[in-house]
């Protein structure tokens, strides 16, 4: 079988590339392919391509075409993975390739579609969120300044009041001004600085789980599926607790306290977040089997003041998103009746 010397440029590439000979045996695969297909180059070497990818009729036709000199791109090949309910969607380009020494080979390029879509969507959401953040910030500024004046004036008035019982009114003004100020602070998330310490993600999830079970001791079941290989994360443990708590509380409220919440963690390799590629990231699924998010609201749930509950503030998810963003991560959500899933992606620091 032909052997292909690893080219430094292919080794550094984040696109998955593998080379096969005309019998479809693997002669080379780059580290990005190893990460994507979760197989070592050593193990893959010499294997038929069909061992690594689902060898459907279209892929077979594409390989034949490549041997005959033309290239083909196959859209959205579904690669089932053990231990995962969602298949990996791959765009696959198969192209002929001749080595210096005249050997005919075939290059197979794999691109993750879901990840590409996710990155595009993430950028789009981020833009919307940034714009919204700008508005909230400007609005907060406009509210807080006069609020300070209002509060100061109420205090001065309080001292000048001739009758004690009138103070009740100035007390209400001060109290409401403080409440509004607190709300604005929470909306802008400007009230806390971000801690930067190592913390254990599973400890955060367990903390939230226990806290929730203390609040709702009956009717709620937590399922846990934690990936023990997840290293420590760096950041603000308290803020992460708050983020997870806000998501879990929503699930509990949506299910009216009865149902199953599944917590699942996984390590993700070569993962792009906010345009930065991380060697390691973690994925957290928080899934509930409640009624789901109102479809009319799903695009806006992370916005402040968006709520579907009569007594809601609409701040829970905005605060969660802000906290996760500040850790370089992101939150996503998919929902249908019976299954709502929030996915948190967080980079593992120290690998940049
Ligand atoms: N797991 C879930 N199931 C159903 N609806 C949800 C879920 N999570 C969030 N929501 C919807 O998103 C809205 C916004 O949530 P959030 O930002 O926490 O604000 P609040 O809880 O104050 O309403 C909720 O009011 C609810 O309608
Ligand atoms: Mg909430």
């Amino acid at each position: 079988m032909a052997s292909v010397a690893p080219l430094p440029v292919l080794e550094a590439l984040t696109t998955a590339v593998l080379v096969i000979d005309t019998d479809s045996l693997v002669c080379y695969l780059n580290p990005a392919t190893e990460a994507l297909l979760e197989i070592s180059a050593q193990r893959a070497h010499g294997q038929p391509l069909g061992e690594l990818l689902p060898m459907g009729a279209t892929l077979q036709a594409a390989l034949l075409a490549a041997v005959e000199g033309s290239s083909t791109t196959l859209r959205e090949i579904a690669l089932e993975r053990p231990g995962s309910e969602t298949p990996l969607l791959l765009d696959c380009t198969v192209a002929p390739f001749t080595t210096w020494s005249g050997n005919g080979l075939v290059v197979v390029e794999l691109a993750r579609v879901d990840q590409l879509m996710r990155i595009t969507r993430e950028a789009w959401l981020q833009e919307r969120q940034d714009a919204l953040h700008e508005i909230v910030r400007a609005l907060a500024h406009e509210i807080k300044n006069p609020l300070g004046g209002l509060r100061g004036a109420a205090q001065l008035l309080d001292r000048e009041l001739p009758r004690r019982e009138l103070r009740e009114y100035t007390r209400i003004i001060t109290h409401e001004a403080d409440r509004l100020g607190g709300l604005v602070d929470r909306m802008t998330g400007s009230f806390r600085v971000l801690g930067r310490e190592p913390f254990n993600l599973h400890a955060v999830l367990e903390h939230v789980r226990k806290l929730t079970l203390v609040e709702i001791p009956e009717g709620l079941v937590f399922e846990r599926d934690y990936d023990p290989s997840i290293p420590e994360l760096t950041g603000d443990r308290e803020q992460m607790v708050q983020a997870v708590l806000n998501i879990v509380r929503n699930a509990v409220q949506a299910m009216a306290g009865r149902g199953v919440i599944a917590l699942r963690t996984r390590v993700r390799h070569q993962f792009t977040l906010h345009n930065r590629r991380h060697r390691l990231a973690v994925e957290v699924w928080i899934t509930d089997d409640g009624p789901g998010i109102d479809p009319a609201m799903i695009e806006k749930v992370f916005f402040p003041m968006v709520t579907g509950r009569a007594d809601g503030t609409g701040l829970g998810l905005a605060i969660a998103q802000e906290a996760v963003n500040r850790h370089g991560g992101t939150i996503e959500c998919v929902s249908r009746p019976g299954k709502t899933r929030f996915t948190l992606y967080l980079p593992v620091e120290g690998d940049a």
Side-chain angles (χ1 to χ4, degrees), residues 59-282:
L59 184 54
Q60 257 162 17
L63 291 174
L64 269 181
V67 172
E68 281 160 14
S70 57
S71 44
T72 319
T73 297
L74 306 172
R75 296 281 175 215
E76 302 192 5
I77 293 186
L79 180 67
E80 301 292 340
R81 290 168 294 174
S84 169
E85 55 184 85
T86 47
L88 207 59
L89 286 183
L90 303 171
D91 275 0
C92 172
T93 302
V94 182
F97 161 67
T98 311
T99 58
W100 291 118
S101 49
N103 282 330
L105 295 172
V106 176
V107 185
V108 180
E109 233 182 285
L110 302 169
R112 277 193 66 165
V113 188
D114 53 346
Q115 200 163 353
L116 288 179
M117 281 188 332
R118 195 189 58 74
I119 292 167
T120 318
R121 198 180 138 72
E122 181 194 281
W124 174 78
L125 278 177
Q126 192 62 45
E127 240 167 65
R128 289 211 329 186
Q129 242 169 33
D130 287 350
L132 191 81
H133 220 88
E134 231 12 80
I135 297 171
V136 170
R137 233 196 310 269
L139 203 62
H141 187 75
E142 286 305 316
I143 292 171
K144 284 206 89 172
N145 276 346
L147 216 52
L150 207 65
R151 196 184 192 285
Q155 275 174 334
L156 288 176
L157 188 64
D158 191 77
R159 271 182 242 152
E160 302 294 326
L161 282 177
R163 298 206 328 259
R164 227 188 136 66
E165 63 270 26
L166 293 176
R167 288 197 172 170
E168 177 59 14
Y169 299 115
T170 49
R171 199 193 57 77
I172 292 174
I173 299 175
T174 322
H175 179 77
E176 289 300 293
D178 287 347
R179 199 178 60 83
L180 196 54
L183 184 71
V184 169
D185 281 344
R186 270 183 288 147
M187 238 164 77
T188 52
S190 57
F191 57 113
R192 276 185 303 189
V193 275
L194 193 70
R196 292 205 60 77
E197 272 136 36
F199 69 91
N200 181 302
L201 179 66
H202 295 143
V204 167
L205 294 172
E206 282 300 285
H207 183 70
V208 171
R209 185 180 69 88
K210 285 176 191 152
L211 217 60
T212 312
L213 286 175
V214 168
E215 280 172 22
I216 321 253
E218 268 169 57
L220 208 58
V221 175
F222 276 92
E223 284 173 3
R224 288 169 289 171
D225 175 5
Y226 295 161
D227 180 344
S229 72
I230 288 179
E232 291 213 308
L233 302 184
T234 309
D236 194 311
R237 180 181 189 273
E238 284 316 305
Q239 290 203 16
M240 210 46 74
V241 166
Q242 190 66 55
V244 175
L245 193 61
N246 289 0
I247 294 170
V248 169
R249 280 223 168 106
N250 284 342
V252 173
Q253 283 159 351
M255 301 189 302
R258 304 215 140 252
V260 180
I261 297 179
L263 305 173
R264 175 191 187 267
T265 60
R266 287 292 180 273
V267 159
R268 299 290 298 258
H269 298 273
Q270 305 297 339
F271 203 77
T272 304
L273 286 163
H274 301 288
N275 297 329
R276 250 187 79 192
R277 194 169 187 94
H278 297 273
R279 195 175 60 76
L280 270 186
V282 296

Side-chain angles (χ1 to χ4, degrees), residues 5-24:
L7 279 176
V9 63
L10 284 180
E11 297 283 300
L13 212 60
T14 55
T15 307
V17 175
L18 42 88
V19 178
I20 54 175
D21 67 11
T22 46
D23 296 324
S24 295

